[in-house]
């Protein structure tokens, strides 16, 4: 009996420490991926807002009637930036463009061009760049200001690449599998350790069973909870809850050319 109790204590301490280290390591990887993805989303929003502010500011600093081409070009940039964010989040969430509400952002010819495209967000960035170049050709942006928008366009591409990288690169399988196996074995066998320790201290069967069940349940909830949180965070690292939308009041249509 003394030998069994010694093995039980050794098992509880050594395997528990090993499992705790693995679970914390796995959770740290998952949270790092989550915050990296959140940073990419923030970068994409910042780049869209920066470009929108520049375009709208240039529109207002010109007096007189700009003609029909300039307001349409400004509105196209607004639509394409909304579409860029929308399609990027759809791809990250693994949803199809066919089942989305793209009609509110696109004309039918534009929708036909995007159908079947694997990286629709990159196509939207191309459209934004072409409309910015058209504004420069119309004289509503200087070549230097057009050059400044390149940083924002690069940021959009970097954000898209970062999100798709996180989505396509899960947490290494050996780490996940080792955590799952050790967690399951540990949590299902830990009641034996508690029962042997409580049996040496208490004599009543119900007291031993109650303490063993309560202690094992608390340990199992803690370890399974940490492991599940790491898996959920890792899977949702590059995703957002709810429908994809761009939280930028600047891009809401309040005037015919905004």
């Amino acid at each position: 009996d003394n030998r069994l109790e010694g093995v039980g204590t050794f098992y509880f301490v050594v395997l528990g420490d090993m499992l705790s280290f693995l679970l914390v390591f796995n959770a740290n990887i998952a949270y790092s991926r989550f915050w990296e993805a959140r940073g990419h989303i923030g970068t994409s929003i910042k780049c869209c807002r920066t470009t929108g502010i520049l375009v709208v500011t240039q529109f207002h600093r010109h007096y007189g009637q700009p003609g029909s081409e300039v307001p349409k070009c400004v509105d196209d940039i607004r639509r394409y930036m909304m579409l860029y964010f929308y399609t990027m989040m759809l791809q990250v969430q693994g949803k199809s463009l066919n089942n989305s509400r793209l009609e509110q952002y696109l004309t039918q010819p534009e929708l036909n061009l995007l159908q079947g495209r694997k990286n629709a967000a990159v196509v939207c960035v191309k459209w934004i760049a072409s409309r910015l170049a058209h504004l420069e050709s119309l004289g509503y942006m200087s070549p230097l200001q057009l050059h400044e928008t390149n940083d924002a366009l690069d940021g959009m591409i970097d954000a898209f690449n970062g999100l798709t990288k996180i989505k396509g690169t899960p947490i290494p399988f050996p780490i996940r599998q080792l955590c799952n196996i050790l967690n399951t074995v540990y949590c299902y066998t830990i009641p034996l350790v508690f029962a042997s320790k409580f049996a040496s201290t208490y004599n009543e069967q119900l007291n031993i069973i109650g303490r063993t069940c309560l202690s094992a349940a608390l340990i199992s909830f803690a370890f399974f909870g940490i492991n599940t949180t790491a898996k959920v965070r890792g899977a949702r690292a590059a995703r957002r809850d709810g429908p994809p939308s761009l939280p930028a009041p600047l891009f809401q249509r309040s005037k015919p050319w905004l």
Side-chain angles (χ1 to χ4, degrees):
D1 292 340
N2 292 332
R3 291 181 180 180
L4 290 177
E5 290 180 5
V7 171
T9 304
F10 178 81
Y11 167 83
F12 177 77
V13 174
V14 174
L15 187 59
D17 292 344
M18 183 187 304
L19 181 58
S20 299
F21 173 78
L22 285 175
L23 291 179
V24 171
F25 179 72
N26 193 25
N28 186 54
I29 294 176
Y31 273 96
S32 298
R33 289 160 54 88
F34 173 81
W35 286 113
E36 181 184 355
R38 187 61 188 87
H40 290 311
I41 294 175
T43 299
S44 66
I45 295 176
K46 174 186 175 182
C47 293
C48 289
R49 288 176 174 173
T50 302
T51 305
I53 290 173
L54 177 62
V55 172
V56 173
T57 302
Q58 286 301 112
F59 185 91
H60 283 294
R61 64 184 294 270
H62 291 273
Y63 299 97
Q65 294 297 328
S68 60
E69 186 67 20
V70 174
K72 181 181 181 302
C73 192
V74 173
D75 186 68
D76 286 343
I77 294 174
R78 178 196 66 85
R79 290 190 301 108
Y80 295 155
M81 286 191 293
M82 297 284 289
L83 183 64
Y84 154 77
F85 192 85
Y86 193 90
T87 54
M88 180 176 65
M89 299 311 300
L90 283 178
Q91 181 172 344
V92 168
Q93 294 174 359
K95 298 180 180 179
S96 174
L97 297 179
N98 298 326
N99 301 326
S100 60
R101 300 170 297 175
L102 294 179
E103 292 79 7
Q104 59 181 315
Y105 302 107
L106 287 172
T107 61
Q108 189 59 43
E110 293 169 345
L111 182 60
N112 295 334
L113 288 175
L114 281 186
Q115 295 296 337
R117 292 295 186 94
K118 182 179 180 181
N119 297 323
V122 178
V123 178
C124 297
V125 175
K126 295 179 182 178
W127 291 351
I128 295 171
S130 65
R131 301 310 284 171
L132 288 172
H134 187 55
L135 273 181
E136 190 270 338
S137 66
L138 294 175
Y140 272 78
M141 291 181 64
S142 65
L144 179 59
Q145 291 169 332
L146 179 62
H147 180 72
E148 292 175 354
T149 60
N150 290 337
D151 293 336
L153 297 178
D154 290 341
M156 294 181 192
I157 296 296
D158 290 341
F160 174 78
N161 292 338
L163 290 175
T164 52
K165 179 202 70 175
I166 294 174
K167 181 180 184 298
T169 309
I171 295 176
F173 177 78
I175 296 178
R176 292 186 288 114
Q177 192 70 0
L178 185 60
C179 288
N180 292 334
I181 293 176
L182 288 181
N183 196 33
T184 302
V185 171
Y186 184 78
C187 291
Y188 275 94
T189 57
I190 199 63
L192 301 176
V193 179
F194 284 129
S196 64
K197 298 299 293 184
F198 289 141
S200 63
T201 306
Y202 305 98
N203 296 324
E204 298 180 0
Q205 291 288 338
L206 292 178
N207 191 6
I208 296 173
I209 293 174
R211 290 176 180 273
T212 300
C213 293
L214 179 60
S215 302
L218 292 177
I219 291 292
S220 299
F221 286 151
F223 280 94
F224 276 113
I226 295 174
N227 192 37
T228 303
T229 301
K231 289 191 292 186
V232 171
R233 276 301 176 201
R236 295 183 179 178
R239 292 189 291 176
R240 293 173 50 149
D241 297 331
S245 59
L246 183 60
L250 172 66
F251 304 122
Q252 301 302 321
R253 181 187 292 273
S254 58
K255 295 183 181 181
W257 40 268
L258 276 182

Coordinates of all heavy atoms in Angstrom, one line a residue, residues 36-93:
E36 N -2.3 38.2 -33.1 CA -1.7 38.6 -34.4 C -2.8 38.8 -35.4 O -2.8 39.8 -36.2 CB -0.8 37.4 -34.8 CG -0.1 37.7 -36.1 CD 0.7 36.5 -36.6 OE1 0.8 35.5 -35.9 OE2 1.2 36.6 -37.7
A37 N -3.8 37.9 -35.4 CA -4.9 38.1 -36.3 C -5.7 39.4 -36.1 O -6.1 40.1 -37.0 CB -5.9 36.9 -36.3
R38 N -5.9 39.7 -34.8 CA -6.6 40.9 -34.4 C -5.8 42.2 -34.9 O -6.4 43.2 -35.3 CB -6.9 41.0 -32.9 CG -7.7 42.2 -32.5 CD -9.1 42.1 -33.2 NE -9.9 43.3 -32.9 CZ -9.8 44.4 -33.7 NH1 -9.0 44.4 -34.7 NH2 -10.6 45.4 -33.4
G39 N -4.5 42.1 -34.8 CA -3.7 43.1 -35.3 C -3.8 43.3 -36.8 O -3.8 44.4 -37.3
H40 N -3.9 42.2 -37.6 CA -4.1 42.3 -39.0 C -5.4 42.9 -39.4 O -5.5 43.8 -40.3 CB -3.9 40.9 -39.7 CG -2.6 40.4 -39.6 ND1 -1.5 41.1 -40.1 CD2 -2.1 39.1 -39.3 CE1 -0.4 40.3 -39.9 NE2 -0.7 39.2 -39.5
I41 N -6.4 42.6 -38.6 CA -7.8 43.2 -38.9 C -7.7 44.7 -38.6 O -8.2 45.5 -39.3 CB -8.8 42.5 -38.0 CG1 -9.0 41.0 -38.4 CG2 -10.2 43.2 -38.1 CD1 -9.9 40.2 -37.6
G42 N -7.1 45.1 -37.5 CA -6.9 46.5 -37.2 C -6.1 47.2 -38.2 O -6.5 48.4 -38.6
T43 N -5.1 46.6 -38.8 CA -4.3 47.2 -39.8 C -5.2 47.4 -41.1 O -5.1 48.5 -41.7 CB -3.1 46.3 -40.2 OG1 -2.3 46.2 -39.0 CG2 -2.3 47.0 -41.3
S44 N -6.0 46.4 -41.5 CA -6.8 46.6 -42.6 C -7.8 47.7 -42.5 O -8.1 48.5 -43.4 CB -7.5 45.3 -42.9 OG -8.5 45.0 -41.9
I45 N -8.4 47.8 -41.3 CA -9.4 48.9 -41.0 C -8.7 50.3 -41.1 O -9.2 51.3 -41.6 CB -10.1 48.7 -39.7 CG1 -10.9 47.4 -39.7 CG2 -10.9 49.9 -39.3 CD1 -11.6 47.1 -38.4
K46 N -7.5 50.3 -40.5 CA -6.7 51.6 -40.5 C -6.4 52.0 -41.9 O -6.5 53.2 -42.3 CB -5.4 51.4 -39.7 CG -4.5 52.6 -39.7 CD -3.2 52.4 -39.0 CE -2.2 53.5 -39.2 NZ -0.9 53.2 -38.5
C47 N -6.0 51.1 -42.7 CA -5.6 51.4 -44.1 C -6.8 51.9 -44.9 O -6.7 52.9 -45.7 CB -5.0 50.2 -44.8 SG -3.3 49.8 -44.1
C48 N -8.0 51.3 -44.7 CA -9.2 51.7 -45.4 C -9.6 53.1 -45.0 O -9.9 53.9 -45.8 CB -10.3 50.7 -45.1 SG -10.1 49.1 -45.9
R49 N -9.5 53.4 -43.7 CA -9.9 54.7 -43.2 C -8.9 55.7 -43.7 O -9.4 56.9 -44.0 CB -10.0 54.6 -41.7 CG -11.2 53.9 -41.1 CD -11.1 53.8 -39.6 NE -12.4 53.2 -39.1 CZ -12.6 52.8 -37.8 NH1 -11.6 53.1 -36.9 NH2 -13.7 52.3 -37.5
T50 N -7.7 55.4 -43.7 CA -6.7 56.4 -44.1 C -6.9 56.8 -45.6 O -6.9 57.9 -46.0 CB -5.2 55.8 -43.9 OG1 -5.0 55.5 -42.6 CG2 -4.2 56.8 -44.4
T51 N -7.1 55.7 -46.4 CA -7.4 56.0 -47.8 C -8.7 56.8 -48.0 O -8.8 57.7 -48.8 CB -7.5 54.7 -48.6 OG1 -6.3 53.9 -48.4 CG2 -7.7 54.9 -50.1
G52 N -9.7 56.4 -47.2 CA -11.0 57.1 -47.4 C -10.9 58.6 -47.0 O -11.5 59.5 -47.6
I53 N -10.1 58.9 -45.9 CA -10.0 60.3 -45.4 C -9.2 61.1 -46.5 O -9.6 62.2 -46.8 CB -9.2 60.3 -44.1 CG1 -10.1 59.7 -43.0 CG2 -8.7 61.7 -43.8 CD1 -9.4 59.6 -41.7
L54 N -8.2 60.5 -47.1 CA -7.5 61.2 -48.1 C -8.4 61.5 -49.3 O -8.4 62.6 -49.9 CB -6.3 60.4 -48.6 CG -5.4 61.0 -49.7 CD1 -4.8 62.3 -49.3 CD2 -4.3 60.0 -50.1
V55 N -9.1 60.5 -49.8 CA -10.0 60.7 -50.9 C -11.1 61.8 -50.7 O -11.3 62.7 -51.5 CB -10.6 59.4 -51.4 CG1 -11.7 59.6 -52.4 CG2 -9.6 58.4 -51.8
V56 N -11.7 61.7 -49.5 CA -12.8 62.6 -49.2 C -12.2 64.0 -49.0 O -12.8 65.0 -49.4 CB -13.6 62.1 -47.9 CG1 -14.6 63.2 -47.5 CG2 -14.3 60.8 -48.2
T57 N -11.1 64.1 -48.3 CA -10.4 65.4 -48.1 C -10.1 66.1 -49.5 O -10.3 67.3 -49.7 CB -9.2 65.3 -47.3 OG1 -9.5 64.7 -46.0 CG2 -8.6 66.7 -47.0
Q58 N -9.6 65.3 -50.4 CA -9.2 65.9 -51.7 C -10.5 66.3 -52.4 O -10.5 67.3 -53.2 CB -8.5 64.8 -52.5 CG -7.0 64.7 -52.1 CD -6.3 66.0 -52.2 OE1 -5.9 66.5 -51.1 NE2 -6.1 66.5 -53.4
F59 N -11.6 65.6 -52.2 CA -12.8 66.0 -52.9 C -13.3 67.3 -52.4 O -13.8 68.2 -53.2 CB -13.9 64.9 -52.6 CG -15.2 65.1 -53.4 CD1 -15.4 64.6 -54.6 CD2 -16.2 65.9 -52.8 CE1 -16.5 64.8 -55.3 CE2 -17.4 66.1 -53.5 CZ -17.5 65.6 -54.8
H60 N -13.2 67.5 -51.1 CA -13.8 68.8 -50.5 C -12.9 70.0 -50.7 O -13.4 71.1 -50.7 CB -14.0 68.6 -49.0 CG -15.2 67.8 -48.6 ND1 -16.5 68.2 -48.9 CD2 -15.3 66.6 -48.1 CE1 -17.3 67.3 -48.5 NE2 -16.7 66.3 -48.0
R61 N -11.6 69.8 -51.0 CA -10.8 70.9 -51.2 C -10.8 71.5 -52.6 O -10.3 72.6 -52.8 CB -9.3 70.6 -50.8 CG -8.7 69.6 -51.7 CD -7.3 69.2 -51.2 NE -6.4 70.4 -51.4 CZ -5.7 70.6 -52.5 NH1 -5.7 69.8 -53.5 NH2 -4.9 71.7 -52.5
H62 N -11.6 70.9 -53.5 CA -11.8 71.4 -54.8 C -13.2 72.1 -54.8 O -14.2 71.4 -54.5 CB -11.7 70.3 -55.9 CG -10.3 69.8 -56.0 ND1 -9.4 70.4 -56.9 CD2 -9.7 68.8 -55.5 CE1 -8.3 69.7 -56.8 NE2 -8.4 68.8 -56.0
Y63 N -13.2 73.3 -55.3 CA -14.5 74.0 -55.3 C -15.1 73.9 -56.7 O -14.5 73.5 -57.7 CB -14.3 75.5 -55.0 CG -13.7 75.7 -53.6 CD1 -12.3 75.9 -53.4 CD2 -14.5 75.7 -52.5 CE1 -11.8 76.0 -52.1 CE2 -14.0 75.9 -51.2 CZ -12.6 76.0 -51.0 OH -12.1 76.2 -49.8
G64 N -16.4 74.2 -56.7 CA -17.1 74.2 -58.0 C -17.7 72.8 -58.3 O -17.7 71.9 -57.4
Q65 N -18.2 72.6 -59.5 CA -18.8 71.4 -59.8 C -17.7 70.4 -60.4 O -17.1 70.7 -61.4 CB -19.9 71.6 -60.9 CG -21.1 72.4 -60.4 CD -21.8 71.7 -59.3 OE1 -21.9 70.4 -59.3 NE2 -22.4 72.4 -58.4
P66 N -17.5 69.3 -59.7 CA -16.4 68.4 -60.1 C -16.8 67.5 -61.4 O -15.9 66.9 -61.9 CB -16.2 67.5 -58.9 CG -17.5 67.5 -58.3 CD -18.2 68.8 -58.5
G67 N -18.1 67.6 -61.7 CA -18.5 66.7 -62.8 C -19.0 65.4 -62.3 O -18.9 65.1 -61.1
S68 N -19.5 64.6 -63.2 CA -20.1 63.3 -62.8 C -19.0 62.2 -62.6 O -19.3 61.2 -61.8 CB -21.1 62.8 -63.8 OG -20.4 62.6 -65.1
E69 N -17.9 62.3 -63.2 CA -16.9 61.3 -63.1 C -16.2 61.2 -61.7 O -16.0 60.1 -61.2 CB -15.8 61.5 -64.2 CG -14.8 60.3 -64.3 CD -15.5 59.1 -64.8 OE1 -16.6 59.1 -65.4 OE2 -14.9 58.0 -64.6
V70 N -15.9 62.3 -61.1 CA -15.2 62.3 -59.8 C -16.1 61.8 -58.7 O -15.6 60.9 -58.0 CB -14.7 63.8 -59.5 CG1 -14.1 63.8 -58.1 CG2 -13.7 64.2 -60.5
P71 N -17.4 62.2 -58.5 CA -18.2 61.6 -57.5 C -18.3 60.1 -57.6 O -18.3 59.3 -56.7 CB -19.5 62.3 -57.6 CG -19.2 63.6 -58.2 CD -18.1 63.3 -59.2
K72 N -18.5 59.7 -58.9 CA -18.6 58.2 -59.1 C -17.3 57.5 -58.8 O -17.4 56.4 -58.2 CB -18.9 58.0 -60.6 CG -19.1 56.5 -61.0 CD -19.4 56.3 -62.4 CE -19.6 54.9 -62.7 NZ -18.4 54.0 -62.4
C73 N -16.2 58.1 -59.1 CA -14.9 57.5 -58.7 C -14.7 57.4 -57.2 O -14.3 56.4 -56.7 CB -13.8 58.2 -59.4 SG -12.2 57.4 -59.3
V74 N -15.1 58.5 -56.5 CA -15.0 58.5 -55.0 C -15.9 57.4 -54.4 O -15.5 56.7 -53.5 CB -15.3 59.9 -54.5 CG1 -15.4 59.8 -53.0 CG2 -14.3 60.9 -54.9
D75 N -17.1 57.3 -55.0 CA -18.1 56.3 -54.5 C -17.6 54.9 -54.8 O -17.8 54.0 -54.0 CB -19.4 56.5 -55.1 CG -20.5 55.6 -54.5 OD1 -20.8 55.8 -53.3 OD2 -21.0 54.7 -55.2
D76 N -16.9 54.7 -55.9 CA -16.4 53.4 -56.3 C -15.3 53.0 -55.2 O -15.2 51.8 -54.8 CB -15.8 53.4 -57.7 CG -16.8 53.4 -58.7 OD1 -18.0 53.1 -58.4 OD2 -16.5 53.7 -59.9
I77 N -14.5 53.9 -54.9 CA -13.4 53.6 -53.9 C -14.1 53.2 -52.5 O -13.6 52.3 -51.9 CB -12.5 54.8 -53.7 CG1 -11.7 55.1 -55.0 CG2 -11.5 54.6 -52.5 CD1 -10.9 56.3 -54.9
R78 N -15.1 53.9 -52.2 CA -15.8 53.6 -50.9 C -16.4 52.2 -51.0 O -16.2 51.3 -50.1 CB -17.0 54.6 -50.7 CG -17.8 54.2 -49.5 CD -19.2 55.0 -49.5 NE -20.0 54.5 -50.6 CZ -20.8 53.5 -50.5 NH1 -20.8 52.8 -49.4 NH2 -21.5 53.1 -51.5
R79 N -17.0 51.8 -52.1 CA -17.6 50.5 -52.3 C -16.5 49.4 -52.3 O -16.7 48.3 -51.7 CB -18.4 50.4 -53.6 CG -19.7 51.2 -53.6 CD -20.6 50.9 -54.8 NE -19.9 51.1 -56.0 CZ -19.5 50.2 -56.9 NH1 -19.6 48.9 -56.5 NH2 -18.9 50.5 -58.0
Y80 N -15.5 49.7 -53.0 CA -14.4 48.7 -53.1 C -13.7 48.4 -51.7 O -13.3 47.3 -51.4 CB -13.4 49.1 -54.1 CG -13.9 49.1 -55.5 CD1 -13.4 49.9 -56.5 CD2 -15.1 48.3 -55.9 CE1 -13.9 50.0 -57.8 CE2 -15.6 48.4 -57.2 CZ -15.0 49.2 -58.1 OH -15.5 49.2 -59.4
M81 N -13.6 49.5 -50.9 CA -13.0 49.3 -49.6 C -13.9 48.5 -48.7 O -13.5 47.6 -47.9 CB -12.6 50.6 -48.9 CG -11.4 51.3 -49.6 SD -10.8 52.7 -48.7 CE -12.1 53.8 -48.9
M82 N -15.2 48.7 -48.8 CA -16.2 47.9 -48.0 C -16.1 46.5 -48.5 O -16.1 45.5 -47.7 CB -17.6 48.5 -48.2 CG -17.8 49.9 -47.6 SD -17.9 49.9 -45.8 CE -19.5 49.2 -45.6
L83 N -16.1 46.3 -49.8 CA -16.0 45.0 -50.4 C -14.7 44.2 -50.1 O -14.8 43.0 -49.9 CB -16.2 45.1 -51.9 CG -16.2 43.8 -52.7 CD1 -17.4 43.0 -52.4 CD2 -16.2 44.1 -54.2
Y84 N -13.6 45.0 -50.0 CA -12.4 44.3 -49.6 C -12.5 43.7 -48.3 O -12.1 42.5 -48.1 CB -11.2 45.4 -49.7 CG -10.1 45.1 -48.8 CD1 -9.1 44.1 -49.1 CD2 -9.9 45.7 -47.5 CE1 -8.1 43.8 -48.3 CE2 -8.9 45.5 -46.7 CZ -8.0 44.5 -47.1 OH -6.9 44.2 -46.2
F85 N -13.0 44.5 -47.3 CA -13.1 43.9 -45.9 C -14.1 42.8 -45.9 O -13.8 41.8 -45.2 CB -13.4 45.1 -45.0 CG -13.3 44.7 -43.5 CD1 -12.1 44.8 -42.9 CD2 -14.4 44.2 -42.8 CE1 -12.0 44.5 -41.6 CE2 -14.3 43.9 -41.5 CZ -13.1 44.0 -40.9
Y86 N -15.2 43.0 -46.6 CA -16.2 41.9 -46.5 C -15.7 40.6 -47.1 O -15.9 39.6 -46.5 CB -17.4 42.5 -47.3 CG -18.7 41.7 -47.1 CD1 -19.6 42.0 -46.1 CD2 -19.0 40.6 -47.9 CE1 -20.7 41.2 -45.9 CE2 -20.2 39.9 -47.8 CZ -21.0 40.2 -46.7 OH -22.2 39.5 -46.5
T87 N -15.1 40.7 -48.3 CA -14.7 39.4 -48.9 C -13.5 38.8 -48.2 O -13.4 37.6 -48.1 CB -14.2 39.7 -50.4 OG1 -13.3 40.8 -50.4 CG2 -15.4 40.1 -51.2
M88 N -12.6 39.6 -47.6 CA -11.5 39.1 -46.8 C -12.1 38.3 -45.6 O -11.6 37.2 -45.3 CB -10.6 40.2 -46.3 CG -9.5 39.8 -45.5 SD -8.3 41.1 -45.0 CE -9.4 42.1 -44.0
M89 N -13.1 38.9 -44.9 CA -13.6 38.2 -43.7 C -14.4 36.9 -44.1 O -14.4 35.9 -43.4 CB -14.5 39.1 -42.9 CG -13.7 40.3 -42.3 SD -12.2 39.9 -41.5 CE -12.8 38.8 -40.2
L90 N -15.1 37.0 -45.3 CA -15.8 35.8 -45.8 C -14.8 34.7 -46.0 O -15.0 33.5 -45.7 CB -16.6 36.1 -47.0 CG -17.9 36.9 -46.9 CD1 -18.5 37.2 -48.2 CD2 -18.9 36.1 -46.0
Q91 N -13.7 35.0 -46.6 CA -12.7 34.0 -46.9 C -12.1 33.4 -45.7 O -11.8 32.2 -45.5 CB -11.6 34.5 -47.8 CG -10.5 33.5 -48.2 CD -9.5 34.0 -49.3 OE1 -9.8 35.0 -49.9 NE2 -8.4 33.4 -49.4
V92 N -11.8 34.3 -44.7 CA -11.2 33.8 -43.4 C -12.2 32.9 -42.7 O -11.9 31.9 -42.1 CB -10.8 35.0 -42.6 CG1 -10.5 34.6 -41.1 CG2 -9.6 35.7 -43.2
Q93 N -13.5 33.2 -42.8 CA -14.5 32.4 -42.1 C -14.9 31.2 -42.9 O -15.7 30.4 -42.4 CB -15.8 33.3 -41.9 CG -15.6 34.4 -40.9 CD -16.8 35.3 -40.8 OE1 -17.8 35.1 -41.6 NE2 -16.8 36.3 -40.0

